[in-house]
Amino acid sequence: MPDGAATQSTTGPELTWTPPPYAEPGRFDEHDVTLGTGPLAVSGTMSVPRDRAPGPGVVLLAGGGPFDRDESIGPNKPFKDLAWGLASRGATVLRFDKATFAHRDAAAAANLTMTQEYVPHAVDAVDLLRSHRSVDPERIFVLGHSMGGKAAPAVAAAAPSVAGLVIMAGDTQPMHHAAVRVAGHLATLLPDQVPPAVVETFRRQAALVDSAELTPSTPSADLPFGLSAAYWLELRDYDPVAIAAGLGKPMLILQGGRDYQVTVADDLVRWRTGLAGRPEVDIRVHEADDHLFFPGSGPSTPVEYATPQHVDPAVIADIAHWLSHGNTEGFSSTPN
């Protein structure tokens, strides 16, 4: 489900974010780039390691909702954590504003589907990395978080030069069903904030998405999150696991054990089942992490995202190891 459904995406004051301990700013430089052309062109940031032989390149895909290039949520910037952490370890990382953040009105008027929202800019980002001096063009990876993880297989299908995928909390349960589940979970956990009427609204909207009554002319106001009928019609037929299975590319799939939005039981199980027996796929669960891969304890709630935190150092280490050699040699430890 869109991350903005449970958390408010904001840019937040820059001074509230401080570099994580695993970031070494002296080991890389950053510069701005532009992806796409026309009214939906977006800006991004490329983090480039200093004085290194060409190494892996990584394109970051943010979760559902109007996220900026840092995937900013309150005081937190999980994509800046990832970019700085991976660039400190030799990867060139490109992150960019989503069109729904940079051009909200134009993106709404364009009636974008999920693949239209993600794939064109991501393919442009892959092409930009392929031509950069710091990148080995045979080692370009797409890292998607949440809905970005759902969309990542479609990007790899559209850009065959992609060497592999990193999927972080990639949802596989149909999003309208997940919306009902998450709303019910929050209504139980936070009854003062999520009344039963909210759950019932999501149930009614999800039933419409499932029904034959959903047509291209169905009003967005009748559908979950106000997304268009075109968006839901595409999602009904979109199976990220089946697309990923058809790619035959190395994949690292990461999941937070405390994640209530994308869960081990409802989402990771589909990755495990659909990609079972694939030696090129590593699946790892970080039991203490929430949806943003922030470590903690006890039940995760949206309040957690408002506290200044950083992506789990163990997650950065997993990804950096896999980018360096794990995607060809496998992890030294047994995947969960």
Side-chain angles (χ1 to χ4, degrees):
M1 63 183 296
D3 298 273
T7 60
Q8 179 63 41
S9 172
T10 64
T11 55
E14 183 68 21
L15 289 178
T16 63
W17 183 90
T18 58
Y22 45 76
E24 300 179 51
R27 302 191 66 177
F28 62 91
D29 298 306
E30 290 195 315
H31 64 268
D32 288 341
V33 298
T34 299
L35 301 174
T37 59
L40 294 183
V42 298
S43 297
T45 299
M46 187 180 293
S47 305
V48 182
R50 295 178 182 172
D51 304 321
R52 295 287 295 262
V58 185
V59 174
L60 304 187
L61 303 181
F67 278 107
D68 67 6
R69 70 195 71 185
D70 296 327
E71 206 181 45
S72 298
I73 297 180
N76 298 301
K77 298 180 180 292
F79 268 21
K80 194 167 186 177
D81 290 347
L82 282 166
W84 283 35
L86 296 177
S88 297
R89 287 153 180 76
T92 299
V93 185
L94 200 167
R95 63 197 195 272
F96 56 91
D97 298 333
K98 292 180 67 177
T100 48
F101 170 84
H103 310 289
R104 295 184 189 228
D105 292 342
N111 207 26
L112 300 176
T113 63
M114 183 195 73
T115 55
Q116 290 169 339
E117 181 182 13
Y118 281 94
V119 173
H121 288 139
V123 171
D124 285 347
V126 169
D127 290 341
L128 188 58
L129 285 177
R130 278 178 58 81
S131 63
H132 198 274
R133 57 175 173 75
S134 68
V135 177
D136 177 349
E138 302 301 316
R139 298 171 63 199
I140 297 175
F141 300 88
V142 173
L143 184 159
H145 172 243
S146 197
M147 183 177 278
K150 181 200 290 279
V155 174
S161 62
V162 168
L165 302 176
V166 179
I167 296 173
M168 301 178 66
D171 51 310
T172 60
Q173 183 182 32
M175 192 169 76
H176 52 302
H177 297 168
V180 176
R181 170 178 57 78
V182 172
H185 169 79
L186 293 178
T188 300
L189 206 61
L190 306 168
D192 293 341
Q193 299 178 38
V194 184
V198 171
V199 183
E200 184 53 40
T201 295
F202 275 118
R203 284 202 183 99
R204 183 177 66 254
Q205 293 171 335
L208 177 56
V209 172
D210 280 329
S211 76
E213 296 177 13
L214 179 65
T215 69
S217 61
T218 301
S220 299
D222 295 341
L223 298 168
F225 312 116
L227 295 172
S228 71
Y231 205 99
W232 290 107
L233 286 166
E234 180 189 74
L235 279 188
R236 281 203 317 195
D237 296 328
Y238 181 82
D239 185 343
V241 178
I243 297 172
L247 295 172
K249 294 180 183 290
M251 283 174 252
L252 174 62
I253 299 175
L254 301 174
Q255 174 69 41
R258 296 172 54 247
D259 190 345
Y260 68 85
Q261 292 174 246
V262 176
T263 71
V264 171
D266 299 289
D267 298 279
L268 187 65
V269 64
R270 290 174 167 87
W271 292 114
R272 282 177 163 158
T273 301
L275 300 173
R278 299 292 186 101
E280 73 275 17
V281 177
D282 285 301
I283 297 177
R284 300 179 70 80
V285 178
H286 290 263
E287 294 290 352
D289 291 356
D290 63 16
H291 186 60
L292 299 179
F293 291 86
F294 297 157
S297 60
S300 175
T301 72
V303 174
E304 231 175 286
Y305 308 155
T307 302
Q309 300 184 70
H310 290 298
V311 172
D312 190 341
V315 170
I316 301 295
D318 270 1
I319 298 170
H321 178 276
W322 188 84
L323 291 173
S324 296
H325 51 265
N327 55 82
T328 56
E329 297 177 9
F331 275 64
S332 58
S333 58
T334 302
N336 292 291

